Amino acid sequence: MHAVSIAPAAAPADNAEPILRFAGALLRHAPPGHPDAGFFATVIGKSLACGALGRSGLSPRELESLIARLFPGALTGHDPALATLRAQAAIYPARGMDAAQAEFTRLLRALLDTWAAPGGAGTTAWVTSVLTHACLRPDHLWRDLGLSGREDVTFLLARHYPGLVVRNVRNLRWKQFLAYSACEQAGLPPAAAPGCPACEDHGFCYPEMPD
């Protein structure tokens, strides 16, 4: 499948403006045509708009490396639109997880590492960090990440984990599919991702499981 550049998407009205403003400011620093720049700009933009860079799923070191590669100058320049990024990055602490979240993250990382595209895109490890953390929250992946729809998640997964995408023959929602696949690879019974029980569609995705 051809690489598809994911542009910042329209977000809910209550926080659309800051997300798009932050993402647009980051993209001014991005290499032209980079297929992952729009995705990461949107993820970081939404995290900034929520007041928590840790929401991105990137560790402080990963965030610094990603910005240095994809948005050089964003942290060291004087762009007033990125003042919030510089301020939050300067005090960004590592975030802890409870035991269940840490175990799920370990299983999902193992799955994504197994199916990462041969040769790697250079940014795949950062995509893995973003996805594993997003699966801890109670929303559909596309909406949680600030994307336009499920298709954006499909494009992202197809670029970084193509062999995994074609295994979703039942057309499950991506968070559900990733959780089930991570359990299957580990030899465990299928289980929902940690964020799924609080999602509005939990009963639709997991009718056999109690609320």
Side-chain angles (χ1 to χ4, degrees), residues 9-132:
D14 58 348
N15 62 355
E17 184 177 346
I19 293 173
L20 294 174
R21 184 173 67 249
F22 289 134
L26 280 168
L27 286 172
R28 289 199 293 269
H29 296 265
H34 193 289
D36 288 324
F39 168 70
F40 285 116
T42 301
V43 167
I44 295 171
K46 184 156 189 176
S47 300
L48 288 171
C50 292
L53 275 175
R55 191 184 185 285
S56 68
L58 299 162
S59 71
R61 179 172 294 183
E62 286 178 318
L63 180 69
E64 183 178 3
S65 298
L66 185 155
I67 290 176
R69 177 169 177 180
L70 292 186
F71 312 111
L75 285 177
T76 57
H78 303 285
D79 185 343
L82 293 174
T84 300
L85 171 64
R86 293 190 292 272
Q88 289 193 27
I91 59 171
Y92 178 23
R95 299 181 62 181
M97 300 180 184
D98 63 32
Q101 291 175 327
E103 177 61 9
F104 173 81
T105 297
R106 184 185 70 80
L107 295 179
L108 184 50
R109 280 186 176 276
L111 175 76
L112 295 175
D113 287 346
T114 297
W115 291 98
T123 55
T124 300
W126 298 327
V127 174
T128 294
S129 292
V130 171
L131 290 176
T132 54

Side-chain angles (χ1 to χ4, degrees), residues 157-177:
L157 294 174
R159 170 169 162 73
H160 291 276
Y161 322 97
L164 185 60
V165 170
V166 298
R167 292 170 59 87
N168 189 7
V169 294
R170 295 166 57 193
N171 199 33
L172 299 178
R173 293 183 178 182
W174 285 119
K175 187 180 291 187
Q176 180 185 17
F177 171 75

